[in-house]
Amino acid sequence: MAPLGRALIVAGILLIVAGLLVTYVGRIPRLPGDIVIERPGLTVFIPLGWMVLISVVLTVLFAVLSRR
């Protein structure tokens, strides 16, 4: 259970950092691959670039943590 506990702690810290960035930085910058649909009275933002980036970072992080 120790590796799971460490992974949850790291995930929690990452969520806190992401929350602070969104709160204090404000607007999330757009990456290549993000989809933005703008119509009168409606804007839809689908952050595919961010999803891929976060997925790669978490995959590497968990791979490094699992080797211990």
Side-chain angles (χ1 to χ4, degrees):
M1 284 292 185
L4 177 62
R6 287 187 191 132
L8 289 173
I9 290 171
V10 169
I13 291 170
L14 289 174
L15 285 173
I16 290 170
V17 169
L20 289 172
L21 284 174
V22 169
T23 300
Y24 292 110
V25 172
R27 188 172 170 192
I28 297 174
R30 294 184 181 156
L31 293 178
D34 291 347
I35 298 173
V36 179
I37 302 170
E38 294 181 359
R39 306 249 190 260
L42 175 69
T43 300
V44 178
F45 177 61
I46 304 170
L48 290 178
W50 280 105
M51 287 186 241
V52 170
L53 179 67
I54 290 171
S55 176
V56 169
V57 168
L58 288 177
T59 299
V60 170
L61 181 68
F62 287 135
V64 169
L65 289 176
S66 70
R67 289 188 181 189
R68 289 185 172 192

